[in-house]
Amino acid sequence: MKQTFKVAGFLALTGLIASCKSEQKLADYQVIPLPQEIAVLQNNPFILGGDVKIIYPEGNEKMHKNALFLAEYLKKATGKDFAIETGTEGKNAIVLQLGLQSENPEAYQLKVGSEGITIAAPSEAGVFYGIQTLRKSIPVAVGAQISLPAAEINDYPRFGYRGVHFDVARHFFTVDEVKSFIDMMTLHNMNRMHWHLTEDQGWRLEIKKYPKLTEIGSKRTETVIGRNSGKYDGIPYGGFYTQEQAKEIVEYAAQRYVTVIPEIDLPGHMQAALAAYPHLGCTGGPYEVWREWGVSDNVLCAGNDSTLTFIDDILTEVMEIFPSSYIHIGGDECPKTQWEKCPKCQARIKSLGLKSDDKHSKEERLQSVIINHAEKFLNEHGRQIIGWDEILEGGLAPNATVMSWRGEAGGIEAAKQKHDVLMTPNTYLYFDYYQTKDVDNEPLAIGGYLPLERVYSYEPMPASLTPEEQKYIVGVQANHWTEYMPTFAQVQYMALPRWAALSEIQWTMPAKKNYQDFLKRLPRLIELYNAEGYNYAKHVFDVTAEFNPNPVDGTLDVKLSTLDGAPIHYTLDGTEPTASSPVCDSILKIKENGTLQAVAIRSAGNSRIVSEKVVFSKSSMKSIVANQPINKQYEFNGAPTLVDGLKGNGNYKTGRWIAFYKNDMDVTIDMQQPTEIASVEISTCVEKGDWVFDARGLSIEISEDGKNFTKVASEDYPAMTAADRNGIYNHKLTFAPVKARYVKVVALSEQSIPDWHGGMGKPGFLFVDEITVN
């Protein structure tokens, strides 16, 4: 991981260097997440001196804890110790009080006057969020006097469930690291930690009735290197939480108004449990704690009565540890291959009279039986289940809350069925995805591409739902799967500052959201990341490059910008830019082959270099139209992406590839004048595990009028096999030179995924990048 910015550099960059002099620093209420109402008044400010007291109601232990938190935050920012007293009012004081009238228990009112500050709320949690706003308003300036402008802030969260998910099963994290994760949550006004405790690769929670779950199931002999390379590190790996440690974490979270929701993923993702108790599997084993990533075919045997007993016993002990009303039971990615062959599972299907139909297989209906059993058991004990959106398959359990991760479709369907929904779509909120297109200079990640701006753009209320149906969207969550996050520093790097964007989705009303305004407010929050020692990603300070093909001028128009307006120096010949290189102060118009490199020059240190190779062909920067739909989910900049002179890498989610689904790629390029051509080449990106397949054919047609076309070349390609590699494929057709004004390029998509694939019979995605015509 390249770390070109030093902490001190960032403090200088944001103009927030801690002062050792007794100078005055001004508070700023433009915090993240942005409050619903901020009114700055014309009255005299309040000076936060060392003699200011913190006052809380006598006899209220939660409010006493709030006061201690506030004193701790203020000391970190100012270096001063603040006295804490009981009472209901006071001058030169910060008064914490209950009694605010609001329908939302997490609402608060923050008033700043010349004689003091009052934070009032209907509940202790509301006061805590008012404290967080005050904390984020105050600059980190040890030794300085802090001046707080007179103001009144009235605030409340948009969603009651504001969550983040923490996978500790693929990689294990210490109790102190989990506590630090919770501290990060409080800074971002989050209140639900979804704790993913069990996996094929490790069982992380002590269950006293089943001691082998941790004696055997918490340890794998070694771990695969990279993305299932077939090579292993040879290092034993393990770790688990005792029940007392889990309770300690639950209490730590509760003091900070965070509810811990445990997940025991069933009936799939259970190979670690099967390694400990092989009789629970369809084959009887032997099994090993899985050493690689992905989804194992070895799942709990649904035809085995002891499986149901095991589930009940596990959930009983889980409920004793976790007071959360929600218990997450997973239900995702459960392969049915073993059930299809297992006599006991087939006998259970027969005895229950389960049948396949157009919607669900009999094995999917068997999974629904397992999920319904777990739900009934938890409901009888006053708890509710959450499951991933696969629990819709086979019929939804009566009282289930659905966590929609495969896009929004599952959440939309569940809301229409009047079930509560938590939105966590991988297309916006999977924080194991890359944050930049420059993946070569990033730590290894699972793939994907989710920059800060895309995260911020997410709106969790689908427009396809009626206002009544939208009421079932009760929360928003981002997920952190840790296959490629072996250290807690890496978890922080993948979370921050994307959590800042997430927090505004969760808290702030959409009408108040504005990405450019958000970027202006971000440096103050980053100051707190520095103060807390968090390892955050710094891409937001890099040069941002926007590329737009210009058919009128025949140029690639490039707009370069930075968060803070730092001067941007560039070269077009591939050499590294320096302070003596030209400054980009307007739109760059590139009209020939070259490599653009750009860097922001700052006294605190230079940004990382943005580098893009531009290759022109006869089709580059020409007008192009799509004759068949581009898939909306992966439309990005649309058809012009295919002729912008920029090549995509092996990550199909970077915006350099556009997708076609359930139809072919069919585009027409206007060459603007009759042009001699003799070849056409396209690139496709393949990721078979994500249902992304190569083209099944390519054809080229030409026309003089754009209406009547003649085919000049075509070629068919075979269906992909399981052994075919993922990555980039190039397809080129050459033909006798012809003159054409219009060129139609058709690439056939995979309409029926082969039988060897889990998506067999269904259409595949076709991702295409540059069309090169010469």
Side-chain angles (χ1 to χ4, degrees):
M1 190 190 311
K2 290 187 177 178
Q3 300 284 358
T4 57
F5 287 95
K6 294 182 171 62
V7 168
F10 268 98
L11 290 171
L13 168 67
T14 55
L16 299 169
I17 296 177
S19 171
C20 59
K21 301 176 182 178
S22 187
E23 57 182 313
Q24 193 170 99
K25 293 283 186 176
L26 189 65
D28 184 351
Y29 305 121
Q30 297 293 310
V31 300
I32 295 174
L34 186 66
Q36 312 298 356
E37 298 176 15
I38 305 172
V40 177
L41 309 176
Q42 297 304 310
N43 303 337
N44 291 331
F46 176 67
I47 305 301
L48 185 66
D51 57 345
V52 170
K53 296 176 181 178
I54 300 171
I55 296 174
Y56 73 95
E58 186 174 3
N60 188 320
E61 186 53 39
K62 288 183 178 179
M63 292 290 272
H64 179 221
K65 190 69 177 174
N66 280 345
L68 291 171
F69 284 134
L70 177 56
E72 178 188 334
Y73 300 147
L74 293 179
K75 181 168 185 178
K76 189 161 287 187
T78 67
K80 301 184 177 86
D81 289 306
F82 290 83
I84 298 173
E85 297 180 358
T86 59
T88 57
E89 57 184 27
K91 292 184 178 181
N92 199 33
I94 304 173
V95 180
L96 310 180
Q97 60 184 221
L98 299 174
L100 182 72
Q101 297 300 307
S102 175
E103 294 179 0
N104 193 319
E106 294 179 306
Y108 68 88
Q109 183 182 72
L110 172 62
K111 284 186 173 182
V112 180
S114 59
E115 295 186 345
I117 300 171
T118 301
I119 301 175
S123 70
E124 293 87 354
V127 171
F128 185 73
Y129 295 121
I131 288 171
Q132 297 305 319
T133 293
L134 180 61
R135 168 195 187 186
K136 286 177 277 195
S137 299
I138 294 171
V140 176
V142 174
Q145 272 199 330
I146 307 297
S147 175
L148 292 98
E152 180 176 317
I153 297 173
N154 291 287
D155 197 15
Y156 55 89
R158 182 185 185 190
F159 291 101
Y161 184 113
R162 304 181 301 282
V164 279
H165 154 285
F166 193 13
D167 168 16
V168 297
R170 273 51 173 255
H171 280 104
F172 177 76
F173 300 91
T174 67
V175 170
D176 284 344
E177 287 169 338
V178 177
K179 288 179 178 178
S180 184
F181 189 88
I182 293 165
D183 290 337
M184 288 163 54
M185 291 177 63
T186 65
L187 181 63
H188 297 85
N189 293 22
M190 297 170 185
N191 65 355
R192 299 289 189 278
M193 186 180 85
H194 171 182
W195 205 14
H196 189 83
L197 290 161
T198 65
E199 261 307 333
D200 294 319
Q201 295 84 4
W203 185 285
R204 304 292 175 217
L205 180 66
E206 176 191 26
I207 301 295
K208 293 182 178 178
K209 192 166 185 177
Y210 296 90
K212 291 181 182 178
L213 287 173
T214 47
E215 290 172 8
I216 296 172
S218 69
K219 305 165 187 173
R220 57 181 180 259
T221 57
E222 57 186 352
T223 304
V224 70
I225 296 171
R227 296 194 188 98
N228 288 349
S229 63
K231 299 177 182 179
Y232 296 84
D233 61 13
I235 303 170
Y237 189 91
F240 68 92
Y241 307 95
T242 67
Q243 293 195 4
E244 287 308 308
Q245 287 174 323
K247 289 176 182 176
E248 178 186 339
I249 287 168
V250 168
E251 175 59 24
Y252 186 89
Q255 290 176 354
R256 291 153 181 81
Y257 307 95
V258 172
T259 300
V260 179
I261 298 171
E263 180 183 358
I264 306 297
D265 202 348
L266 58 91
H269 292 271
M270 274 282 173
Q271 186 160 316
L274 298 182
Y277 296 98
H279 71 280
L280 295 172
C282 290
T283 67
Y287 307 98
E288 65 170 0
V289 179
W290 224 22
R291 300 173 296 144
E292 61 191 77
W293 309 128
V295 181
S296 170
D297 286 346
N298 294 311
V299 303
L300 291 176
C301 178
N304 190 339
D305 288 338
S306 60
T307 291
L308 299 180
T309 302
F310 174 77
I311 290 171
D312 292 350
D313 291 341
I314 297 297
L315 294 178
T316 295
E317 293 198 33
V318 166
M319 286 188 287
E320 291 170 356
I321 301 167
F322 299 93
S324 166
S325 60
Y326 276 137
I327 305 291
H328 204 302
I329 50 80
D332 64 317
E333 297 176 326
C334 179
K336 311 300 190 295
T337 51
Q338 297 288 359
W339 290 0
E340 290 167 359
K341 298 181 291 185
C342 174
K344 287 186 285 188
C345 289
Q346 292 302 312
R348 179 64 54 88
I349 286 171
K350 186 175 180 180
S351 69
L352 293 173
L354 304 179
K355 305 289 185 184
S356 298
D357 57 25
D358 292 341
K359 290 186 177 180
H360 306 295
S361 70
K362 59 185 187 295
E363 286 78 20
E364 286 176 335
R365 295 202 179 281
L366 182 60
Q367 174 167 325
S368 187
V369 170
I370 298 292
I371 299 297
N372 274 275
H373 173 88
E375 182 189 55
K376 184 173 183 290
F377 183 80
L378 288 168
N379 288 169
E380 288 171 351
H381 292 81
R383 308 298 183 92
Q384 299 292 319
I385 72 164
I386 301 176
W388 299 108
D389 56 49
E390 284 96 332
I391 67 173
L392 288 160
E393 297 168 2
L396 192 54
N399 302 306
T401 294
V402 171
M403 192 163 272
S404 187
W405 74 275
R406 296 178 299 180
E408 293 186 320
I412 291 169
E413 177 61 29
K416 288 182 175 179
Q417 294 183 29
K418 295 182 166 50
H419 283 265
D420 283 349
V421 173
L422 301 169
M423 283 298 193
T424 177
N426 59 342
T427 46
Y428 290 93
L429 299 177
Y430 265 45
F431 291 175
D432 53 342
Y433 287 10
Y434 285 109
Q435 305 175 68
T436 174
K437 298 175 185 177
D438 182 20
V439 298
D440 292 339
N441 292 311
E442 288 291 293
L444 184 66
I446 198 167
Y449 175 53
L450 275 181
L452 187 67
E453 184 173 9
R454 179 164 174 81
V455 174
Y456 193 83
S457 71
Y458 180 54
E459 169 46 49
M461 289 294 187
S464 61
L465 296 178
T466 67
E468 188 61 33
E469 291 167 339
Q470 286 184 346
K471 293 178 182 177
Y472 291 98
I473 310 295
V474 297
V476 182
Q477 174 176 295
N479 294 341
H480 303 76
W481 302 102
T482 60
E483 290 97 328
Y484 306 104
M485 300 183 207
T487 67
F488 188 64
Q490 182 62 19
V491 172
Q492 290 181 322
Y493 179 85
M494 299 301 278
L496 305 176
R498 289 191 284 196
W499 278 20
L502 171 65
S503 72
E504 294 221 334
I505 300 167
Q506 295 172 330
W507 186 280
T508 306
M509 289 298 175
K512 295 188 70 66
K513 286 180 60 193
N514 179 283
Y515 184 65
Q516 293 306 316
D517 178 67
F518 165 80
L519 290 178
K520 292 175 184 175
R521 291 180 278 118
L522 186 57
R524 174 63 63 85
L525 185 62
I526 285 177
E527 174 193 8
L528 284 173
Y529 293 171
N530 286 323
E532 297 291 346
Y534 295 154
N535 181 44
Y536 58 93
K538 301 172 178 67
H539 309 102
V540 71
F541 292 98
D542 288 348
V543 175
T544 298
E546 295 179 26
F547 298 91
N548 296 296
N550 183 339
V552 174
D553 297 340
T555 57
L556 180 64
D557 293 354
V558 186
K559 180 182 178 182
L560 302 176
S561 61
T562 57
L563 174 70
D564 58 339
I568 301 168
H569 295 257
Y570 73 95
T571 60
L572 293 173
D573 59 3
T575 59
E576 186 169 318
T578 65
S580 60
S581 301
V583 174
C584 179
D585 52 11
S586 62
I587 299 293
L588 286 179
K589 300 181 82 68
I590 300 175
K591 55 185 177 182
E592 59 186 18
N593 293 350
T595 299
L596 167 67
Q597 298 214 80
V599 65
I601 303 289
R602 300 182 176 101
S603 59
N606 295 349
S607 73
R608 295 187 296 188
I609 294 174
V610 168
S611 181
E612 292 288 352
K613 187 176 182 180
V614 184
V615 179
F616 276 70
S617 74
K618 291 182 178 180
S619 55
S620 298
M621 318 312 155
K622 299 298 192 293
S623 295
I624 182 171
V625 294
N627 305 314
Q628 293 193 49
I630 301 171
N631 178 258
K632 287 295 182 184
Q633 187 175 344
Y634 300 106
E635 186 176 28
F636 299 112
N637 291 329
T641 304
L642 300 174
V643 292
D644 62 5
L646 305 169
K647 286 272 192 175
N649 59 21
N651 183 345
Y652 66 84
K653 295 181 180 179
T654 62
R656 288 291 157 77
W657 304 88
I658 60 174
F660 301 87
Y661 183 61
K662 297 183 179 179
N663 59 260
D664 302 324
M665 181 197 81
D666 181 347
V667 298
T668 302
I669 303 168
D670 180 356
M671 306 296 285
Q672 298 177 336
Q673 61 185 11
T675 304
E676 183 173 274
I677 64 172
S679 69
V680 175
E681 182 177 3
I682 69 167
S683 298
T684 63
C685 188
V686 172
E687 191 65 50
K688 300 191 303 293
D690 292 351
W691 297 26
V692 179
F693 283 76
D694 194 15
R696 292 299 306 275
L698 178 64
S699 67
I700 312 302
E701 300 175 30
I702 62 171
S703 171
E704 291 304 314
D705 59 7
K707 297 177 182 178
N708 300 294
F709 285 85
T710 302
K711 184 179 292 187
V712 295
S714 67
E715 190 171 25
D716 293 328
Y717 307 121
M720 298 197 78
T721 68
D724 287 334
R725 64 176 176 83
N726 290 327
I728 298 174
Y729 286 74
N730 297 307
H731 301 287
K732 184 175 183 178
L733 294 181
T734 58
F735 40 88
V738 293
K739 278 198 170 184
R741 164 75 188 266
Y742 297 92
V743 180
K744 180 185 282 192
V745 184
V746 178
L748 304 180
S749 64
E750 179 58 80
Q751 293 299 306
S752 181
I753 292 175
D755 291 347
W756 54 263
H757 191 277
M760 61 181 181
K762 296 178 180 177
F765 284 89
L766 173 67
F767 276 82
V768 185
D769 185 25
E770 202 67 8
I771 298 175
T772 303
V773 177
N774 279 314

